[in-house]
Amino acid sequence: MAMAMRALKTKDTTGYEPVGQNEDVLNDDGSFPPLPDVPTLTHHNDHTPKRNWRLFGLAFTLSLILWLGVGLVTGNGTLFGIRGPGRGGHWVSEDTTTCSAECGQQPSDVPQYFQTTPELWAGPTATGKAAFMAQTRTFDHAATYVPNAPLQTSLPIQGMSEGNESIFGMMGFLAPYTPSPGFGVDEYPLPEGAEIVQVQMLSRHGSRYPTSGSAVTDFGERIAAAKESDKGFKSKGVLGFLGDWRYQLGWEILVPKGRQELFDSGVLHSYMYSQLYNPNSKIIVRTTTQDRMLKSAEYFMAGFFGLEWTNNATIEVIIEEAGFNNSLAGYLNCPNGRKGNSGQDAATAWINNYLANATTRLAPLVEGYEWTIGDTYAAQTMCPYETVAYGYSRFCDLFTYDEWIGFEYSIDLAFYGNNAFGSPTGRAVGIGYQQEVIARLKNHTLGYSGSQINVTLDNSTDTFPLNQSLYFDFSHDTNIVAILTAFGLRQFAGSLDPARYPGEHNFTVSHMTPFGARLDIEIIQTPKPVKADRSGYEDGGELTKYVHFVLNQRTLPLGWSFPECDDTRVDGWCELGQFLKAQEAMPRRARFEYACFGDWTSEEGVGEFGFTDDGAPP
């Protein structure tokens, strides 16, 4: 009783103010001021106050007994809206389903895969220096001013012409989210009478700090060491700012822009698909244990449902750690995936080509430090990382527009050879998620382990539900590229040349997996078959279902990749039955066991770029 009363006197979200402790009425020394003089009341009957108090006490006691009786009868067991000591001895309000803030963790009866606090296997996490863009940004005051929104991405880049794409759309997997410019097919609205009956979304996390131990981290450490050495580090010209610059980025967790990207994505998906949600249900949403993955799911849910999203969804958190099966991080249980990564070799060859002039241009501007082509590439990579962390980076305009085109192509080469059709494990890493999508479409759980799926979770409808019309999953860029490969989307296959930029090409990472990327797989039901030229419905036929792949808000033409689908369709759709028929062969083509655990790595030429062009060992 006393604890409950004290809880009422503490200021909380219900609006209760501390009794007698308003800072506005305290003396300067923190003491309470003297109470004002109270006039003495004159009573004609000295016994009247005692009788009034007795009556008050009797009325209060009867009311309390009645109140408690009602609580016992109704079974809510509450007193003043406050429950007694619950889990861990903490007092919680009646409508609170988890411990109060000071509890610090979820109750022990919550299964590990639904536990979001405290975070388990969160991965390396570190918050970097706070942004101070209002003070640190520089710009030419005589030029046309473009306000930041919130990033400063309108920069004068040498060689950039009017109408050119922003360099921030050419940064591969480090590009802030922007819709794809398209994948070679026009967009069409639903014909009258058609309806979307299911959506399965796969999303990447939002913009983040660099990976711990990455090239930009090493660059920062080398510059710092040079300043502390006796070699007399000096910088001038466009690199003059290095004299005061320090590397202060964090590790791997979301930056403010990343939070915005996922929240905005949730809002967008709410506008697109909200009517698919059954308000009487609570859906399961899946992510991994890494901090940026869990936070991305939470920000997306807040955008889709609002801040009380926990009433609408439960997040299933799958362990992301070596040795654990996880379709959302399939590379962790594919040992051969770390072998024969020819993409990095191809990217290095290209970097030595396209950054040769830039290195010649920048190296003389630094004294007491041997500036290499590796430093040039790290400085270029610093631009997108600092921009999403601080809003602006002085590294961005060190490079010409052609050099930014080269930067994007270096990432395309790396991803293609390491994770996609140019990798012998490309299909195998992504095949688990492909199986899960097909299982949902065929309405069955997965009780086998022919890939890196977590069978314990996927074999139960509690953790792998089949009755949802909305599915939201969160993954990583390389895993999403592998999943596109596992589906067999061969419009992203084909050779890339490490020695020559090919011009526009289908496998462009910034169009596929920028920060906050999302793949929406729509199932569309129509009363009759839709004509391939979209001129209307066929005269005959009956109810038909189609699959529509939407990557970063643009259609992927399924007919380009699958003979079973109609490649004359101008809308890129594929009839569901034909799509499922095409997907039957994908696990076999992935060759999961052999690709991930076989001895193909000893074959001649395995480390060469172009060793395979089908995402599996030859």
Side-chain angles (χ1 to χ4, degrees), residues 10 165 191 267 299 395 422 446 487 554 606 609:
T10 303
E165 180 182 5
V267 172
Y299 278 107
F395 286 96
L446 291 165
F487 272 117
R554 297 303 298 268
V606 68
F609 190 74

Side-chain angles (χ1 to χ4, degrees), residues 443-457:
N443 199 43
H444 66 76
T445 57
L446 291 165
Y448 53 89
S449 57
S451 67
Q452 72 283 62
I453 64 171
N454 187 313
V455 175
T456 302
L457 299 177

Side-chain angles (χ1 to χ4, degrees), residues 129-133 136-137 148-155 157 166-169 171 174-177 207-210 216 245 247 249 255-258 260-261 378-399 404 407 515:
K129 183 189 72 171
F132 201 6
M133 187 176 172
T136 57
R137 178 184 52 167
N148 56 293
L151 309 181
Q152 186 68 52
T153 57
S154 181
L155 301 173
I157 303 299
S166 166
I167 64 168
F168 291 92
M171 293 179 173
L174 300 178
Y177 179 76
S207 296
R208 60 168 173 83
Y209 287 123
V216 291
W245 176 84
Y247 181 84
L249 294 172
V255 296
K257 178 64 175 176
Q260 180 192 30
E261 286 164 336
Q380 194 170 21
T381 308
M382 199 74 73
C383 163
Y385 276 129
E386 283 198 341
T387 299
V388 297
Y390 304 140
Y392 165 78
S393 174
R394 299 189 67 175
F395 286 96
C396 296
D397 57 4
L398 297 178
F399 303 93
W404 280 112
F407 179 79
F515 285 127

Side-chain angles (χ1 to χ4, degrees), residues 108-386:
S108 59
D109 57 349
V110 174
Q112 177 271 317
Y113 42 78
F114 289 148
Q115 182 171 319
T116 57
T117 303
E119 294 181 52
L120 306 175
W121 291 282
T125 59
T127 301
K129 183 189 72 171
F132 201 6
M133 187 176 172
Q135 177 163 306
T136 57
R137 178 184 52 167
T138 63
F139 56 89
D140 183 356
H141 70 89
T144 301
Y145 177 71
V146 179
N148 56 293
L151 309 181
Q152 186 68 52
T153 57
S154 181
L155 301 173
I157 303 299
Q158 183 180 347
M160 185 175 184
S161 302
E162 185 176 352
N164 281 156
E165 180 182 5
S166 166
I167 64 168
F168 291 92
M170 303 161 55
M171 293 179 173
F173 71 109
L174 300 178
Y177 179 76
T178 187
S180 168
F183 298 100
V185 65
D186 292 334
E187 306 296 329
Y188 285 84
L190 293 181
E192 186 176 355
E195 59 177 338
I196 299 173
V197 296
Q198 185 188 93
V199 169
Q200 298 190 45
M201 181 205 75
L202 177 66
S203 173
R204 187 190 176 198
H205 58 76
S207 296
R208 60 168 173 83
Y209 287 123
T211 305
S212 54
S214 64
V216 291
T217 304
D218 293 342
F219 173 77
E221 291 175 351
R222 290 195 302 272
I223 293 295
K227 291 179 180 179
E228 295 175 0
S229 71
D230 56 2
K231 295 182 180 180
F233 178 89
K234 293 181 181 179
S235 60
K236 59 184 178 180
V238 294
L239 289 182
F241 70 92
L242 287 180
D244 297 322
W245 176 84
R246 286 196 302 153
Y247 181 84
Q248 295 177 287
L249 294 172
W251 298 340
E252 310 204 19
I253 62 176
L254 295 180
V255 296
K257 178 64 175 176
R259 301 195 293 265
Q260 180 192 30
E261 286 164 336
L262 268 294
F263 184 85
D264 286 350
S265 179
V267 172
L268 173 66
H269 281 81
S270 181
Y271 276 106
M272 294 291 288
Y273 304 117
S274 271
Q275 289 193 27
L276 290 176
Y277 173 69
N278 177 0
N280 297 317
S281 68
K282 195 170 185 179
I283 64 174
I284 298 295
V285 174
R286 302 189 311 164
T287 188
T288 83
T289 53
Q290 279 203 359
D291 182 86
R292 65 180 179 273
M293 296 297 302
L294 175 56
K295 296 298 194 301
S296 290
E298 291 175 328
Y299 278 107
F300 179 93
M301 289 297 105
F304 192 95
F305 290 114
L307 294 180
E308 296 180 349
W309 62 265
T310 52
N311 296 326
N312 311 102
T314 297
I315 294 181
E316 180 179 315
V317 191
I318 308 174
I319 296 173
E320 181 174 349
E321 193 72 18
F324 291 89
N325 281 349
N326 187 343
S327 65
L328 302 177
Y331 42 80
L332 287 173
N333 203 22
C334 185
N336 283 345
R338 293 182 288 274
K339 303 174 184 177
N341 284 338
S342 60
Q344 191 56 54
D345 293 336
T348 299
W350 172 246
I351 290 167
N352 288 332
N353 179 348
Y354 90 90
L355 282 182
N357 290 338
T359 304
T360 300
R361 188 172 68 244
L362 296 175
L365 302 180
V366 179
E367 299 178 14
Y369 181 86
E370 184 180 355
W371 186 280
T372 67
I373 201 165
D375 295 310
T376 306
Y377 192 71
Q380 194 170 21
T381 308
M382 199 74 73
C383 163
Y385 276 129
E386 283 198 341

